[in-house]
Amino acid sequence: MSHIAIIGAGRVGSTVAYTLIIKNIAERISLVDVNQDRCEGEVLDLKDVLAFSTTKEVAVATYAEARTADIIVICAGFAQQPGQTRPELLAKNKTIIADIMRNLNPINSNAIVIMVTNPVDVLTYVAHENTALPQKQVIGSGTLLDMQRLQHALAREFAVDPSLVETLIMGEHGDSQCVIWSQTRIEGKPADQLLARERHVGLAETTRKTAYTIIEKKCATYYGVASCVAELCSIILNDKKSVVPVVTYLPAFGLCMSIPVVLGRAGVLEQRLPPLAAEEHTCLAQSAKNLRKLLHS
Ligand code: NAD
């Protein structure tokens, strides 16, 4: 029976569970949270979705149960508060993630861990440091979310179906993310030929700020990221070997950030760094520098 465990049944974790169920992605979903009441409430609510899904079971679980899952999604911890710095947020969530990874040991040796908690790039690295799993089996939900935001913005701009827009965002899931314009095409035509330079900057800025805008209006984001996590779970469980940007360990940089990878049931099968323009190389190096600074803050 395909089994996905979700650690952290808050807004993001419970929406991930709902999306997995409604999209028939796994037969069994387990939820773990330090807040037992919240977790039980979410599970009772989610059980009412099972009638409309092929998912057979959703339950509150212990770490002993969660560590046997095929995929373990980590959404536990705090979101950034107004006025809180990223090093402050990292300090709080780092302890939580290190504890969770230790609680998951001994982990199913075939499990794939998907980090969602922010700052996701650095916390994917923390997860690596606290597990026996190989690096290819620990990934993070990174710039896939940003990439689909830009893809849809470009589709609106050119009044075409989003499937006709190819784009890519790499690096940090956050302020220093890099739009790879050299890999961006609308109906097969290079974006460089279709869009003025100022429009590149404007679209990249709007994409980067989307999460801030949502948080300003409703205090949190969860639908978009839950859909991305559900997509990653579907790719993994069905061994689709799709090319998607995820947070992965990059030996050349000595840290984790998003680049396109071939993803399948065994995790990251191959890292696919595309050819980059000089300014895109510079952007990626700057993103890595920012993440390194945060990692050692
Ligand atoms: P939330 O406060 O609604 O939920 C967090 C949950 O974690 C709570 O239920 C809490 O009880 C639980 N928790 C805390 N410590 C725990 C522990 N040690 N073990 C188990 N559970 C624990 O927060 P949220 O809105 O769901 O956000 C969760 C995280 O996801 C935040 O860090 C947020 O920034 C991040 N996030 C990431 C992305 C992304 O794209 N990667 C997008 C949105 C949110």
Side-chain angles (χ1 to χ4, degrees):
M1 202 194 259
S2 54
H3 178 197
I4 299 179
I6 299 167
I7 318 294
R11 291 165 295 199
V12 174
S14 56
T15 313
V16 168
Y18 174 73
T19 313
L20 292 172
I21 297 171
I22 213 75
K23 295 186 84 166
N24 307 310
I25 289 174
E27 289 163 287
R28 178 179 168 202
I29 314 269
S30 299
L31 279 92
V32 178
D33 197 295
V34 279
N35 183 339
Q36 194 71 10
D37 272 348
R38 169 84 192 249
C39 199
E40 283 172 12
E42 293 295 354
V43 163
L44 283 174
D45 204 2
L46 287 162
K47 277 184 192 291
D48 287 343
V49 191
L50 296 184
F52 309 98
S53 168
T54 55
T55 301
K56 293 183 177 60
E57 187 188 324
V58 53
V60 176
T62 61
Y63 276 102
E65 290 160 329
R67 66 169 77 112
T68 66
D70 299 295
I71 300 177
I72 301 164
V73 181
I74 302 183
C75 315
F78 298 93
Q80 198 162 359
Q81 299 301 312
Q84 188 182 40
T85 65
R86 282 171 58 82
E88 283 165 359
L89 174 70
L90 174 63
K92 288 176 92 172
N93 283 346
K94 198 174 176 177
T95 316
I96 292 174
I97 299 306
D99 277 352
I100 289 171
M101 293 311 293
R102 280 191 288 267
N103 286 334
L104 285 170
N105 283 330
I107 195 164
N108 166 14
S109 62
N110 294 316
I112 307 293
V113 170
I114 305 179
M115 182 60 60
V116 181
T117 307
N118 276 323
V120 63
D121 303 278
V122 177
L123 292 176
T124 305
Y125 185 89
V126 171
H128 276 288
E129 281 185 321
N130 289 281
T131 183
L133 286 179
Q135 283 160 355
K136 67 180 180 129
Q137 287 171 235
V138 182
I139 62 172
S141 155
T143 56
L144 175 61
L145 178 58
D146 308 288
M147 188 185 84
Q148 65 77 26
R149 281 176 182 147
L150 179 61
Q151 183 191 24
H152 280 248
L154 285 165
R156 282 192 296 274
E157 179 111 357
F158 288 92
V160 298
D161 190 89
S163 65
L164 299 172
V165 178
E166 289 165 66
T167 190
L168 176 61
I169 299 188
M170 304 201 317
E172 181 192 14
H173 170 62
D175 291 343
S176 69
Q177 60 186 225
C178 308
V179 176
I180 309 302
W181 289 108
S182 63
Q183 298 289 323
T184 302
R185 285 178 195 80
I186 295 109
E187 291 185 295
K189 294 186 203 91
D192 283 339
Q193 292 172 14
L194 299 170
L195 279 171
R197 191 88 193 148
E198 309 82 69
R199 198 66 196 113
H200 282 193
V201 176
L203 282 161
E205 184 71 355
T206 310
T207 304
R208 194 177 61 75
K209 284 190 175 154
T210 304
Y212 292 108
T213 310
I214 300 170
I215 290 167
E216 209 176 282
K217 291 180 188 292
K218 58 173 280 193
C219 301
T221 72
Y222 35 91
Y223 297 123
V225 68
S227 307
C228 291
V229 171
E231 177 65 13
L232 296 176
C233 290
S234 168
I235 290 171
I236 293 165
L237 287 180
N238 295 301
D239 198 21
K240 287 187 192 164
K241 301 183 173 72
S242 308
V243 179
V244 271
V246 297
V247 182
T248 183
Y249 180 74
L250 297 170
F253 292 96
L255 46 71
C256 297
M257 61 181 181
S258 287
I259 69 157
V261 304
V262 181
L263 189 65
R265 179 62 191 86
V268 173
L269 306 176
E270 196 188 321
Q271 296 183 341
R272 285 259 178 102
L273 192 67
L276 299 176
E279 62 191 22
E280 293 163 352
H281 265 298
T282 309
C283 181
L284 205 59
Q286 185 59 48
S287 201
K289 197 172 163 190
N290 289 10
L291 286 170
R292 198 167 294 113
K293 198 170 156 203
L294 184 60
L295 182 63
H296 301 297
S297 61

